[in-house]
Amino acid sequence: MSVRKTVMVLYRICLMIFLAMVVFGLVAEPSYPAWVTWVPVAVSLLLVLAAGHRARAAKADPPPAVEVEAPVSGLWTALNSPADRVPSHGIHTYGQTYAIDIVAERREEPVTADGGPVGSADGGAGSARPKFRVLWPLARRNRDFPAFGAPLLAVADGTVVRASDARRDHLSRNSLPGLVYLMVVEASVRDVVGPRAVVGNHVVLDLGGGTYALYAHLRHGSLRVRVGETVRAGQQLAECGNSGNSTEPHVHFQLMDHPDPDVAIGIPFTWRGIGVPANGRTFTAGRAVTEDGGRDPGADRESVADREARVGRGVDADRGSDAGRGAGPASGAVPDSEGDPVRETGPAQPV
């Protein structure tokens, strides 16, 4: 076990001790002063600061952005983008420094990766993304959201190193009571459990050259690949879902330097032909099509060898200010590696 992994395990143990002491204080009369209850919290903050040293150093001198294809096709809107703030989600933990969330505002033409219909259970053409409500409805079904069931595509040639789709898709949290519940209760519990509970169903691809792509919050039972499988750019991996620490069905995408989010440091990315879309920017991700109507995974694709050579030269086609700015409200349930407890604060920002 690495030092950083050990630190994160100790961090969670401290949080569990704190929760146990709180519960004990509610059901019995503690023999220790009340301030002792907060000692594990203070220790956990110090541990996070220690674990985040390498992430802060990487932010001060970020590596070149890695150019990959977009993980989706069609019309999407960016939220929590590293084009507006770094770390984009307010935290460095879980390799999220340069992560991005994207949502589908309207399902104009529901299709799978090979051009077929998604199915009537996932909504019909023209259905719009439900708006945030103050009180009612408290939650919505996932099929009410255009992003739910959308195909997620490999951003480059790679190998599947992690894959999980056993967690359920929960209802949305896009009401004020739902959002409060997520931030105060659910996110904290998920953070104590660990990264798998935070990212939910997920896929991690090894793109080569020490770069890994994480797709989080996948739909339950939607995996099209398995660990050890080699995939091609544009190949469907799974479907967009609403598992883990999420307010609504959306795509959470990030590049990182390790397959385990607990120890990973984020790596800047740029999507070929798109760049890094800023918060609120709507963009269209295209896809090449073969003669039989399928997507051509070889068209307009940078090879892994070419990318490794480019990264080795320190050259990036679309780094500019995109990789150095940052994004919207945070989605994590833990203090960031700089010691500030940050959570999602805007109702329109999925986590």
Side-chain angles (χ1 to χ4, degrees), residues 35-109:
W35 63 266
V36 175
T37 305
W38 297 96
V39 171
V41 176
V43 174
S44 68
L45 290 174
L46 292 175
L47 290 170
V48 170
L49 284 172
H53 173 74
R54 193 162 66 95
R56 293 193 298 273
K59 176 188 174 185
D61 185 21
V66 177
E67 186 180 44
V68 294
E69 303 288 351
V72 294
S73 64
L75 194 65
W76 295 78
T77 299
L79 299 172
N80 297 322
S81 169
D84 296 280
R85 184 179 69 170
V86 174
S88 60
H89 285 57
I91 56 175
H92 291 292
T93 48
Y94 304 131
Q96 294 185 102
T97 302
Y98 302 98
I100 191 171
D101 294 329
I102 57 175
V103 296
E105 296 291 349
R106 181 173 293 276
R107 184 184 290 108
E108 297 181 355
E109 185 183 358

Side-chain angles (χ1 to χ4, degrees), residues 219-243:
R219 184 179 185 178
H220 172 74
S222 69
L223 278 175
R224 300 280 188 96
V225 295
R226 62 183 184 276
V227 173
E229 183 176 344
T230 299
V231 299
R232 302 278 289 175
Q235 179 178 335
Q236 182 172 351
L237 306 175
E239 295 176 6
C240 177
N242 193 33
S243 58

Side-chain angles (χ1 to χ4, degrees), residues 8-334:
M8 293 303 293
V9 170
L10 291 174
Y11 159 77
R12 293 191 182 94
I13 291 175
C14 287
L15 291 183
M16 286 187 238
I17 293 173
F18 167 70
L19 293 176
M21 294 176 74
V22 169
V23 173
F24 178 73
L26 294 175
V27 300
E29 186 69 29
S31 59
Y32 47 82
W35 63 266
V36 175
T37 305
W38 297 96
V39 171
V41 176
V43 174
S44 68
L45 290 174
L46 292 175
L47 290 170
V48 170
L49 284 172
H53 173 74
R54 193 162 66 95
R56 293 193 298 273
K59 176 188 174 185
D61 185 21
V66 177
E67 186 180 44
V68 294
E69 303 288 351
V72 294
S73 64
L75 194 65
W76 295 78
T77 299
L79 299 172
N80 297 322
S81 169
D84 296 280
R85 184 179 69 170
V86 174
S88 60
H89 285 57
I91 56 175
H92 291 292
T93 48
Y94 304 131
Q96 294 185 102
T97 302
Y98 302 98
I100 191 171
D101 294 329
I102 57 175
V103 296
E105 296 291 349
R106 181 173 293 276
R107 184 184 290 108
E108 297 181 355
E109 185 183 358
V111 295
T112 61
D114 59 3
V118 179
S120 59
D122 295 323
S127 58
R129 177 189 175 208
K131 296 181 180 299
F132 181 86
R133 299 296 183 186
V134 175
L135 291 176
W136 193 263
L138 295 177
R140 291 182 182 273
R141 297 171 301 178
N142 289 309
R143 68 185 187 187
D144 293 339
F145 293 83
F148 189 66
L152 301 185
L153 313 175
V155 295
D157 295 351
T159 303
V160 179
V161 292
R162 291 195 174 201
S164 172
D165 67 352
R167 296 181 181 272
R168 69 181 180 87
D169 293 290
H170 55 71
L171 296 175
S172 75
R173 311 285 190 251
N174 64 332
S175 67
L176 185 57
L179 189 60
V180 170
Y181 165 75
L182 172 70
M183 294 190 298
V184 176
V185 179
E186 184 176 2
S188 299
V189 172
R190 290 184 185 280
D191 183 49
V192 172
V193 174
R196 288 180 177 270
V198 174
V199 301
N201 300 324
H202 62 283
V203 168
V204 177
L205 297 183
D206 182 356
L207 306 184
T211 300
Y212 299 84
L214 168 67
Y215 304 70
H217 314 310
L218 308 183
R219 184 179 185 178
H220 172 74
S222 69
L223 278 175
R224 300 280 188 96
V225 295
R226 62 183 184 276
V227 173
E229 183 176 344
T230 299
V231 299
R232 302 278 289 175
Q235 179 178 335
Q236 182 172 351
L237 306 175
E239 295 176 6
C240 177
N242 193 33
S243 58
N245 198 49
S246 171
T247 58
E248 66 176 83
H250 72 285
V251 179
H252 174 105
F253 174 82
Q254 65 189 53
L255 295 184
M256 50 193 186
D257 68 352
H258 194 280
D260 184 357
D262 233 1
V263 301
I265 300 298
I267 295 176
F269 73 90
T270 181
W271 289 331
R272 184 173 291 106
I274 297 171
V276 182
N279 284 345
R281 176 190 164 193
T282 298
F283 64 94
T284 300
R287 58 182 184 177
V289 178
T290 60
E291 292 182 356
D292 60 0
R295 187 183 191 280
D296 179 7
D300 300 320
R301 184 184 70 247
E302 179 187 37
S303 69
V304 172
D306 290 343
R307 175 173 51 75
E308 291 177 356
R310 172 175 52 76
V311 174
R313 297 195 305 269
V315 178
D316 178 66
D318 188 19
R319 183 181 179 187
S321 58
D322 284 338
R325 301 200 305 268
S331 67
V334 298

